[in-house]
Amino acid sequence: LTATATAVGAATVAKVDFFAGTTFLGTDSTAPYSFDWVAAGNVVSLTARVTDSNGAIATSAPVSVTVTTSAPSVSLTSPTPGTVVTTGTAVTIAATAAPSSGATITQVQFLAGATILDTDTTFPYATTWTPTAAGNIALTARVTDSNGSSVTSSAVTITVNAVTTGPLSVA
């Protein structure tokens, strides 16, 4: 946040206070007057209040700001759609993930349908899963970041075939 402030007559600017609504954010007493603010909320009304060396105070007109943050993102990189595996065969599930603005990734969960298969907290995000049942399985990844934001990837459907054995023979 930046404000331009001037005093009247022989007075000098003593300080500029910054507010979001009625919440005090911070003070700067050296021109150019500014304050680094980490935005929170949706629509915020910002003002600056100048105090001069004679104790006179003036407040700026409010400025409405809409705060937007990016959402985290995640996508599966492995396996690819249409992959066919058999029960009992290990499958590597991997994902790329990015946090929302100003955040860090806290975890990536890997899911088969609604079932959480594993959680990974370190890059690169991956796990190994061994399917035990045949069928078409929808795999997803869900990222959560330090802002508490969470999002689930698009599903990648793979086919799991049952292990088949040939006819038994006795000699």
Side-chain angles (χ1 to χ4, degrees), residues 86-89 134 161-165:
T86 56
T87 56
T89 303
N161 292 327
V163 173
T164 56
T165 57

Side-chain angles (χ1 to χ4, degrees), residues 29-91:
S29 58
T30 307
Y33 306 101
S34 64
F35 179 77
D36 290 334
W37 173 55
V38 177
N42 293 326
V43 176
V44 179
S45 178
L46 300 173
T47 56
R49 182 177 64 197
V50 61
T51 304
D52 73 14
S53 56
N54 293 330
I57 297 173
T59 302
S60 70
V63 174
S64 289
V65 176
T66 302
V67 179
T68 59
T69 58
S70 65
S73 63
V74 63
S75 62
L76 287 176
T77 57
S78 176
T80 57
T83 296
V84 178
V85 298
T86 56
T87 56
T89 303
V91 176

Side-chain angles (χ1 to χ4, degrees), residues 18 25 51 53 90 93 121 142 160 169:
F18 294 91
L25 300 175
T51 304
S53 56
I93 307 171
T121 59
R142 179 172 45 225
V160 179
S169 63

Side-chain angles (χ1 to χ4, degrees), residues 11-159:
T12 59
V13 172
K15 67 178 182 174
V16 175
D17 297 323
F18 294 91
F19 294 87
T22 58
T23 303
F24 171 74
L25 300 175
T27 298
D28 191 358
S29 58
T30 307
Y33 306 101
S34 64
F35 179 77
D36 290 334
W37 173 55
V38 177
N42 293 326
V43 176
V44 179
S45 178
L46 300 173
T47 56
R49 182 177 64 197
V50 61
T51 304
D52 73 14
S53 56
N54 293 330
I57 297 173
T59 302
S60 70
V63 174
S64 289
V65 176
T66 302
V67 179
T68 59
T69 58
S70 65
S73 63
V74 63
S75 62
L76 287 176
T77 57
S78 176
T80 57
T83 296
V84 178
V85 298
T86 56
T87 56
T89 303
V91 176
T92 298
I93 307 171
T96 58
S100 57
S101 299
T104 58
I105 293 173
T106 57
Q107 68 178 11
V108 174
Q109 294 177 313
F110 296 96
L111 300 93
T115 303
I116 298 171
L117 302 173
D118 197 10
T119 301
D120 195 351
T121 59
T122 57
F123 178 83
Y125 305 104
T127 191
T128 301
W129 168 62
T130 303
T132 57
N136 289 327
I137 308 294
L139 300 174
T140 57
R142 179 172 45 225
V143 63
T144 303
D145 68 21
S146 58
N147 286 339
S149 298
S150 180
V151 70
T152 302
S153 71
S154 298
V156 169
T157 302
I158 66 168
T159 301

